[in-house]
Amino acid sequence: MNLSTSTTMVGDDAVVTLSGEVDMATIPLLHDALTKALALRPGQLLVVDLDGVTVLDDTGLGVVLGAAGTARQAGADLVVVCNNQRLRERLDNTGFSRAVEVRERLRGAQS
């Protein structure tokens, strides 16, 4: 596994920062981090910071989309922070950015 996760609070928002590869081997770690962050502040904005991600496969996109759905069911929302142009293009090309808001900076991600 080559993925590290950390969760911090920025104001009232939980921020899950990912670093490394998000692929089939690291999906359990990603799912666990997002589930715990959603439970940490139910009903609050969850920010997923992808700036440190080097690989993001379709399964990883699906896990983040699932977390966004879970957040919305709880009356909250999830946004993604990503300033890597190649990864942003992937998020656009897959339709991910139509379902989940993608921002360039963490600072602008807070509500």
Side-chain angles (χ1 to χ4, degrees):
M1 274 196 245
N2 188 21
L3 178 69
S4 64
T5 68
S6 64
T7 303
T8 56
M9 295 301 297
V10 177
D12 290 333
D13 305 330
V15 178
V16 176
T17 302
L18 306 176
S19 181
E21 300 175 3
V22 178
D23 57 22
M24 287 297 291
T26 60
I27 289 302
L29 181 60
L30 173 62
H31 184 268
D32 186 54
L34 295 177
T35 300
K36 286 179 180 177
L38 287 167
L40 180 67
R41 298 285 298 172
Q44 299 294 319
L45 180 68
L46 175 60
V47 180
V48 180
D49 184 350
L50 299 179
D51 281 344
V53 171
T54 56
V55 172
L56 179 61
D57 73 5
D58 290 342
T59 308
L61 289 174
V63 170
V64 178
L65 281 171
T70 300
R72 290 176 186 142
Q73 288 176 347
D77 204 2
L78 180 147
V79 298
V80 167
V81 171
C82 178
N83 66 23
N84 177 302
Q85 186 61 35
R86 185 177 56 87
L87 188 52
R88 285 182 68 92
E89 288 173 7
R90 176 162 165 63
L91 298 176
D92 289 340
N93 292 339
T94 60
F96 180 92
S97 59
R98 287 191 298 274
V100 175
E101 183 178 353
V102 179
R103 300 179 180 175
E104 290 185 6
R105 290 182 306 274
L106 181 61
R107 179 166 289 179
Q110 287 95 342
S111 56

